[in-house]
Amino acid sequence: MHKILEFQAVVLAAGRGSRMPDVGGTVSKCLLPVGPYPVLWYSLNMLEKFGFQETMLVVLDEDKSNIINALEKCPLKIKYDLIVIPSEEDWGTANSLKHVSSKVNTDLIVVSGDLITNINLNDVLNLYRKHDAALATLFFNNGPEEWIELPGLKTKAKPDRDLVCIDKETERLVFLASASDFEENVTIPRLLIKKFNSISMYSRLLDAHVYVMKKWVVNYVVDTDKFTSVKGELIPHIVKKQLAKPKNQVEKKGTSEKNVDITKDIFDYAVEQGYESKIRKMSAYNDHTLGSKGVYYNDTLRCYAHIPDKNTFGIRVNTLSALYLSNSKILSKWQEITGTELLERIHPNSEVSTKQIDENCTVGEKSCISEKTSLKSTFIGSNCTIENKVRLTNCILMNNVTGINQIWKKFPFFDEIPHPEFILL
C-alpha cells in the first residue's frame, strides 16, 4: 500500500444529527451503527485503505469518551488525533477548520465523518495533483434517490439540493449554489458561458463532503474569519472567485476608504511558490481545445469536481432514510467498501441460542439472543438481550438494549417505541 505523505487529513465528526431527531437517544450521529461498526469507522477506514497513516478527528467535547471507547473496539491501524470543540457552542465546519489550522502543515483533505463509499480516493487526489488545483471535490451521481416510506411522523422538510455546473472538457467546477437560493429562474454569469464551451448542470448530485484543498485555503479561512460553513460558504466562494482576476495595488488602494491597503483578498493567498507558471508557459499541454487562451484560461484559481461511475456506492448517513439504506446494503458491499472480508458477523463473546438468524444479521459483543427467536436483516449492538419467541425483521438495536420480548409487538412504529435505541424499520 502506498503511503500518503503529501496531504494531511481531517475528519469532521462533530455534527449533532439535526436531520435525525430522536434517533438513537443520546448516541451521537457518528456512532450510529451501520453493520457491525459505527458510521465514523468507515471514513477512517477509507483513509487507511488509501495510505493515510494518521488523521485529525474533530469531535464534540461531550462525545470524546464515547468515541474513544467505540473506536477501540474497531479494527483500525490509522492513528487519529482527537481534537475536541465545545459542545455548548454552535460551531460550523469552517469554525472546526480554523480550530485545527495550527496543526495543518501541508495541503489538506477534509472528509465528513458520516461518509460510506467504495470510491477510489486516488481518483480525487490525482485530479487535484494533475491540475495543481486550489480545490478538488467529490460528487456522486447515483440517479434518483431511493424512496423509503419510514414509520413515524411525516416531515415537510425538503432535502437540500445543489446546482452544480461542470465543464465537460476540463472537469472544472465552474458554478456551485444551493437550489434554495433561487426562487424560479437560475442566473448563470455570462462570463462563465463565454469562457467554457460545454457546461453540464446537475441538480441531483450528492455532495460527498470530501474536499482536497491547498494549505493557503486554510490560512485564508483563518485570516478572513467570515466563513461558518465549508460546504455552504467557503467552497461556493472559491468556485465563484475563479471568474475574477487579482486586483493590482492601485485598484486595492482605490477601494479603500483612506487610500490605504485593504485586507488581503483570496489572490494574495494563492501565490505560487515555485516554477509552476513558467512550466505551464513552456509546456505544450492545454486543458481545452478551442480558443486562443492559454492553459487553464490563465486562471489563478482552479476548482475541480470528480464524479465517479454511477455504479459507485456513496452515501452520507445524515438522515433516518440513509441510515436504513446503508444498513440494508452494507453486508452485500462489504468487501468493496472496506477492502477486507467480514470474518465475524456474530461476535465470539456473544451468546446466540437461536438457529433462525439469516446471513444479513450481525450480533455485537456480549449480546444474548434466546432460542426460538427469529432475526432477519437485523443489526444488534453490544450488551443487548432478546428474550424467547421474538421476531425481528429490518431492525437496528443500539448498544445496551435489553428486555426485548413479545410485548414489543405492541409498538409497530418508530415514534411509539419506548426506547429510542431501538429502530424498527
Side-chain angles (χ1 to χ4, degrees):
M1 178 179 63
H2 178 67
K3 297 178 182 178
I4 300 292
L5 301 175
E6 64 188 288
F7 298 100
Q8 289 177 271
V10 57
V11 178
L12 302 181
R16 299 180 184 275
S18 58
R19 298 183 185 89
M20 306 171 72
D22 303 325
V23 176
T26 59
V27 179
S28 58
K29 183 182 77 167
C30 67
L31 294 182
L32 290 172
V34 174
Y37 302 124
V39 173
L40 176 59
W41 178 82
Y42 295 90
S43 297
L44 296 172
N45 177 75
M46 177 187 69
L47 291 173
E48 178 183 306
K49 184 170 68 169
F50 288 101
F52 285 87
Q53 297 179 299
E54 56 185 33
T55 181
M56 293 172 277
L57 177 56
V58 180
V59 301
L60 291 174
D61 186 27
E62 63 185 16
D63 293 335
K64 180 181 178 180
S65 59
N66 290 334
I67 289 174
I68 291 175
N69 292 334
L71 293 181
E72 283 179 348
K73 300 175 183 178
C74 298
L76 276 176
K77 294 181 181 179
I78 188 172
K79 297 178 182 178
Y80 47 88
D81 179 12
L82 272 176
I83 301 172
V84 299
I85 64 174
S87 301
E88 65 277 3
E89 298 182 22
D90 188 19
W91 281 26
T93 48
N95 298 117
S96 297
L97 204 57
K98 286 186 285 186
H99 190 59
V100 304
S101 61
S102 61
K103 296 177 179 286
V104 178
N105 302 310
T106 67
D107 292 351
L108 188 69
I109 177 170
V110 181
V111 179
S112 174
D114 59 10
L115 175 66
I116 301 178
T117 179
N118 61 358
I119 180 70
N120 184 344
L121 192 60
N122 284 324
D123 291 340
V124 185
L125 298 178
N126 288 338
L127 179 65
Y128 175 88
R129 293 175 177 127
K130 177 181 177 180
H131 301 289
D132 192 27
L135 175 74
T137 62
L138 173 63
F139 292 90
F140 295 114
N141 187 14
N142 297 331
E145 299 167 354
E146 295 188 49
W147 185 79
I148 303 294
E149 184 175 1
L150 298 172
L153 298 174
K154 306 303 178 186
T155 176
K156 294 182 180 180
K158 296 181 179 180
D160 296 332
R161 295 200 184 280
D162 296 319
L163 298 178
V164 182
C165 290
I166 299 174
D167 179 45
K168 282 185 177 181
E169 186 178 15
T170 63
E171 290 187 90
R172 287 277 295 271
L173 175 61
V174 297
F175 183 82
L176 178 64
S178 172
S180 60
D181 294 341
F182 305 92
E183 294 183 0
E184 294 182 359
N185 300 321
V186 178
T187 303
I188 302 295
R190 182 181 299 177
L191 178 60
L192 190 153
I193 304 297
K194 183 178 180 181
K195 189 172 188 177
F196 298 98
N197 298 304
S198 180
I199 297 176
S200 297
M201 175 177 279
Y202 302 88
S203 62
R204 288 184 176 272
L205 295 180
L206 173 65
D207 189 336
H209 286 215
V210 171
Y211 310 113
V212 189
M213 60 182 65
K214 293 286 190 188
K215 181 184 181 298
W216 63 255
V217 173
V218 180
N219 298 337
Y220 177 65
V221 171
V222 173
D223 291 349
T224 55
D225 196 27
K226 65 179 181 180
F227 301 105
T228 301
S229 166
V230 172
K231 189 261 182 186
E233 298 173 4
L234 176 62
I235 304 302
H237 173 76
I238 298 175
V239 171
K240 184 178 180 180
K241 283 291 186 178
Q242 289 180 105
L243 297 178
K245 294 295 180 184
K247 294 179 180 178
N248 58 42
Q249 292 300 318
V250 175
E251 291 173 322
K252 287 184 178 182
K253 290 182 178 180
T255 57
S256 178
E257 289 184 0
K258 297 183 179 181
N259 201 34
V260 295
D261 289 340
I262 61 172
T263 305
K264 289 197 234 180
D265 66 14
I266 193 170
F267 294 101
D268 293 310
Y269 292 83
V271 178
E272 295 176 331
Q273 303 296 329
Y275 296 95
E276 293 92 340
S277 59
K278 292 182 179 180
I279 291 173
R280 283 196 293 271
K281 290 178 180 178
M282 295 169 61
S283 172
Y285 171 78
N286 205 326
D287 63 326
H288 53 278
T289 55
L290 299 177
S292 58
K293 289 286 186 180
V295 62
Y296 304 121
Y297 300 97
N298 300 320
D299 291 338
T300 303
L301 300 179
R302 300 178 294 279
C303 302
Y304 289 83
H306 176 63
I307 303 177
D309 185 89
K310 284 189 176 182
N311 294 324
T312 301
F313 178 77
I315 192 168
R316 291 189 57 232
V317 186
N318 58 359
T319 64
L320 182 55
S321 177
L323 179 62
Y324 170 80
L325 285 172
S326 56
N327 272 286
S328 67
K329 295 183 177 184
I330 191 64
L331 293 186
S332 63
K333 296 181 178 292
W334 183 264
Q335 191 160 4
E336 58 185 273
I337 289 175
T338 66
T340 62
E341 292 186 11
L342 183 60
L343 300 177
E344 296 176 346
R345 292 187 300 105
I346 299 176
H347 197 281
N349 291 337
S350 63
E351 182 181 341
V352 179
S353 301
T354 183
K355 294 182 179 179
Q356 301 180 58
I357 178 170
D358 70 10
E359 66 279 2
N360 296 317
C361 296
T362 63
V363 179
E365 182 181 12
K366 296 182 180 180
S367 288
C368 180
I369 315 297
S370 301
E371 60 181 352
K372 298 181 181 180
T373 296
S374 174
L375 302 179
K376 295 181 179 179
S377 301
T378 292
F379 300 91
I380 298 172
S382 301
N383 304 306
C384 296
T385 302
I386 301 178
E387 299 179 11
N388 287 331
K389 299 180 180 179
V390 173
R391 294 183 179 182
L392 298 178
T393 301
N394 293 335
C395 294
I396 305 169
L397 275 70
M398 311 284 181
N399 298 333
N400 306 310
V401 178
T402 59
I404 306 299
N405 52 41
Q406 285 183 298
I407 196 172
W408 284 76
K409 292 181 180 179
K410 296 181 180 180
F411 304 102
F413 299 111
F414 169 74
D415 60 322
E416 297 174 353
I417 292 173
H419 296 283
E421 292 84 4
F422 183 102
I423 303 179
L424 177 64
L425 294 170

